[in-house]
């Protein structure tokens, strides 16, 4: 699967979840449901994937966790917030650096139409 196909699959799963549940639930509910959808689609993913920081050859477990790491290539950060802010984008950029992924999706479920809550972030752009 290409990176584009992976992101399309994740977005499709997120749309299915949002259509059925709508906005205003907890992020953990959306994470559980999108995980179920990815499982049904037979897509490999890891939940709450720990991302250590390596400093001067020392591995620091600093508590960074990617909500979903899909096919070991796309980092997915889920939100249920009023609006995506620069802090959320910075968080995703940090995950991209730490995971060496090229693509990330930032998905905010707390919107009326999910396409308004989607941001695709590319490492290095």
């Amino acid at each position: 699967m290409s990176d584009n196909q992976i992101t399309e699959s994740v977005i499709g799963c997120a749309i299915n979840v949002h259509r059925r549940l709508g906005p205003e639930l907890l992020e953990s509910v959306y994470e559980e449901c999108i995980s179920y959808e990815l499982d049904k689609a037979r897509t490999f993913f890891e939940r709450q994937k720990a991302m250590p920081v390596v400093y001067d050859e020392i591995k620091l477990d600093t508590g960074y966790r990617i909500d979903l790491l899909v096919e070991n290539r796309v980092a997915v950060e889920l939100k249920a917030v009023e609006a995506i802010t620069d802090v959320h984008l910075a968080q995703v950029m940090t995950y991209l650096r730490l995971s060496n992924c090229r693509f990330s999706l930032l998905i905010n479920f707390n919107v009326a139409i999910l396409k308004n809550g989607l941001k695709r972030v590319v490492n290095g752009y």
Side-chain angles (χ1 to χ4, degrees):
M1 229 192 296
S2 72
D3 291 334
N4 283 336
Q5 289 171 319
I6 294 168
T7 58
E8 286 173 13
S9 177
V10 172
I11 290 169
C13 291
I15 288 171
N16 287 343
V17 170
H18 192 264
R19 280 185 181 150
R20 293 182 70 187
L21 297 179
E24 300 180 14
L25 297 175
L26 294 174
E27 179 184 313
S28 59
V29 172
Y30 296 114
E31 182 179 330
E32 190 73 36
C33 293
I34 198 169
S35 295
Y36 171 75
E37 289 289 332
L38 287 167
D39 237 5
K40 278 191 344 187
R42 299 183 190 274
T43 303
F44 175 76
F45 67 95
E46 295 175 85
R47 287 176 69 177
Q48 296 299 315
K49 176 74 173 165
M51 285 289 116
V53 173
V54 178
Y55 177 80
D56 227 7
E57 299 180 20
I58 299 170
K59 186 175 169 183
L60 307 169
D61 293 321
T62 58
Y64 287 110
R65 292 189 176 277
I66 298 174
D67 287 338
L68 300 167
L69 182 60
V70 182
E71 298 288 344
N72 290 314
R73 296 190 1 229
V74 177
V76 180
E77 180 62 22
L78 305 174
K79 296 293 181 194
V81 294
E82 187 174 323
I84 295 296
T85 66
D86 289 344
V87 171
H88 300 125
L89 290 170
Q91 179 183 16
V92 168
M93 292 304 297
T94 297
Y95 291 162
L96 282 175
R97 267 195 339 246
L98 294 176
S99 67
N100 291 317
C101 289
R102 183 157 183 240
F103 294 99
S104 181
L105 290 171
L106 178 56
I107 304 173
N108 182 19
F109 282 92
N110 198 28
V111 291
I113 301 169
L114 191 65
K115 75 175 185 173
N116 296 333
L118 290 171
K119 292 227 182 263
R120 187 170 186 236
V121 182
V122 180
N123 197 0
Y125 289 94

